[in-house]
Amino acid sequence: MSQTASGGASLPAGLARNSVGTTHIVFFVVAAAAPLASVVGASPAAFAFGNGAGVPGVYLLAGLMYLIFSVGFTAMSRSAGSAGGFYTYIAKGLGRPAGVAAASIALLTYKMIQLAVYTLFGIFVSGALAGLGIQIAWWAPVLAVMVLIWLCGARNISFSGHLLGLCMLAEIAILFALNVGILMGGGGPEGITLTSFAPATVFSPGLGAALVFVVGSFMGFEATAIFSEEARHPERTIPRATFAAVALIAGFYAFSTWSITQFYGPANAQAAAQAGLESYFFTAAAEVLGPWSVTAIEILLIVSLFASALAFHNTVNRYFFALGREGVLPRFLGNVHDRHGSPHVAGRAQSVIAAVLLIAAVVSGLDPYAAIFSWTSAIAVIGILSVQTLVCFAIIAWFGRNPMGYGAWTRLIAPALSILGLGIGLVLVILNLPLLAGDSPVIWTFPWLVLVFGLIGAGYAIYLRSRRPALYDALGAAVTEV
């Protein structure tokens, strides 16, 4: 089976339709955010280097920003929802060169976050095995899990949805047990207070630094649009999944960080994090739930990272698939599995790329945490904020030409507010790069790296326009309106 684009090229059969519903898509988004790894691994740094007890309020601020972003994002999904994600939005709103530029940045972004998650997975697994007396290089379990994730990604998307759902529920369950245990115990030295949500606490010095760590927790929620071609009733599913995922991430992370703040007390929350980032949540778990919970959290951290890696694998698969289908990348990447309707060729290709990147990092001798994880995470946050900002401009431009009956709030005000919020976030991330990636001269090349990737993408699109006009004209044509 094949379909033909306007450029005359034969396109492979599409992705499996009606495979996932709202719940599955929410699982993908939240699993990519890695609730346990984000809360236990990342939020202590926000407490230590940011605004201390105000961190829970920062999660709500970031959630509000992304809810506002989602207003225009979901409205435009009827015309731009496809496996191409942000690429399709920007191509339709700002033109094909901008779309291919965004795709180039998005591929860089997701390969970097993928490598970051894989690296953290390897660190935790090798550490856990070392505790059992088994010494193994951190990269060995990564290569093994890459094969497992590739096999899972080659199945029908509903398989990954079920698997991610189980992983996510296990992560949330242990955190929820800790949160409830803290609150039922009456909190810590200051009892239970709402100080964390007071404006004076949230907007205290360190807000910008806290935002650097918090924004990364929302990475990957564009998956709601990426899976629109495989969703049931996408005109309803995509908006519901988007708002539900953002609200769940913001609400649960705010609740979890507020609970841990009660354990230490608002006045001591920052100092406790500075005294021990790694032990911040483990100390509370051991005291509130008992020693068994420390082992449970350590195991579920590995599960959390596996789920995140699988979710991002599926996201990158669909980027490769969409760009292969349109001819921006080799067309064979647009092939789908005869039985599962999955982009299995794209999955195989991008798994090989991930393995090559991993091997290159290992051979270079870089420290897995201080360099590989930290640097790739920083590049990913800069990249995703840049692309999301472009999406807002694309939404305004698109609805300026095609109002589609929407009011000013959806067409202009919400996207404009998002540009302001995302722009501030991007500036703060760049200014606070040493907190994310260490104090190395290399880190200041990261914004330029993202810019260069964007320029390469735009240049390639311009090349296609002059040398392969039929292919250029077909860009964006393989998008199914929902």
Side-chain angles (χ1 to χ4, degrees), residues 269-359:
Q270 187 168 44
Q274 292 170 342
L277 293 176
E278 298 85 357
S279 61
Y280 198 60
F281 277 84
F282 289 105
T283 298
E287 183 174 327
V288 174
L289 300 178
W292 68 268
S293 64
V294 175
T295 302
I297 291 175
E298 289 174 340
I299 294 172
L300 288 173
L301 268 173
I302 296 173
V303 173
S304 175
L305 291 166
F306 167 79
S308 181
L310 177 57
F312 278 116
H313 174 84
N314 280 293
T315 298
V316 180
N317 282 2
R318 280 145 186 84
Y319 261 108
F320 271 64
F321 166 80
L323 295 173
R325 178 175 63 180
E326 298 209 338
V328 176
L329 293 178
R331 287 217 180 256
F332 68 83
L333 295 173
N335 291 328
V336 297
H337 197 283
D338 290 338
R339 177 182 175 189
H340 299 296
S342 63
H344 68 300
V345 178
R348 185 186 309 135
Q350 67 101 357
S351 294
V352 170
I353 293 173
V356 169
L357 289 174
L358 174 70
I359 293 170

Side-chain angles (χ1 to χ4, degrees), residues 367-391:
D367 182 271
Y369 188 85
I372 302 174
F373 172 75
S374 299
W375 291 0
T376 52
S377 297
I379 294 170
V381 173
I382 293 171
I384 200 63
L385 286 172
S386 300
V387 175
Q388 288 170 348
T389 303
L390 284 174
V391 168

